[in-house]
Amino acid sequence: AVGPTSDPAIPTPLTTGQIIPLWPEGVPGWKDIGPETINGTTYTNISNPRLIVYPPKPGTPSSGTAIIYCPGGGYIHVNTGGGIQGIFNPLGVTVFTLLYRCQEFGAPAPLQDVLRAVRLVRAHAAEFGLNPGHIGVLGGSAGSHVAGSAGTLYDDPLGKTGSPLDNVSGRPDFMILIFSVLSMEDPNASAASRKALLGANPTPEMMEHFSIEKQVTPNTPPAFLIHTQQDTTVKLENELQLYMALRKNNVP
């Protein structure tokens, strides 16, 4: 797993809080949207997508597994709170928190960002001390839509930008989806998330294309799904529809 020659070197060993820019050669479709704002763990107006690294603490044996964590925020902002790294670092898992583009860019920018993250980590797996076949995605709420997009649209032309890294597989090896925004179609879509991602008047084709449950194939990676009946923000049917699609395609 060797990165393309145009891919700049990333300092190793990885350190807690280290920043890895996703697009050092230039963000695709970049536009000036003004300054990014950070309020606690909430990032708004992101135009410089990047990864924040959380490796296991020194002395913790590495499992060789990496998780690209896609926080939620309704495609309006990205809230990195939740302490996901505190759950996985003691297990020897390296967590890469993804700050992805949101409503200011809309689709397919978040898809491009998450696939670039998977490709970048996989291309540098040897340097990072990771197994290139143990790279997964985890998302919550709208972040689950980002993660689920990686798991189902990893070969989609919309996720490619002509970069040499496009030649590295963007398919995650597993996905963990929690209280997930998944469908872009009524009656189960989150209207606010859909508007932020696809605009106020998306076509039926766009809504179907970005409905994760509609894009499952037998090659979709194994999934671990979590949702509760008590959720009043994201409909449980999102997870149930996806479960049925995974079952139909014999995906674990």
Side-chain angles (χ1 to χ4, degrees), residues 92-194:
V93 176
T94 300
V95 176
F96 296 84
T97 296
L98 174 63
L99 300 180
Y100 53 90
R101 289 171 287 168
C102 294
Q103 62 181 353
E104 295 79 17
F105 288 83
L111 173 64
Q112 293 174 347
D113 290 345
V114 68
L115 292 180
R116 175 66 165 222
V118 174
R119 290 173 177 134
L120 187 151
V121 172
R122 181 165 283 135
H124 290 274
E127 302 160 54
F128 296 166
L130 300 170
N131 183 335
H134 283 192
I135 299 170
V137 290
L138 182 153
S141 194
S144 281
H145 190 272
V146 180
S149 295
T152 54
L153 298 173
Y154 50 85
D155 277 334
D156 195 295
L158 293 176
K160 299 181 179 181
T161 64
S163 163
L165 272 177
D166 285 349
N167 295 317
V168 178
S169 173
R171 179 187 181 275
D173 296 297
F174 60 88
M175 52 185 182
I176 303 169
L177 307 179
I178 306 171
F179 45 88
S180 307
V181 170
L182 297 169
S183 184
M184 290 287 130
E185 298 180 325
D186 293 327
N188 297 319
S190 166
S193 296
R194 179 174 64 193

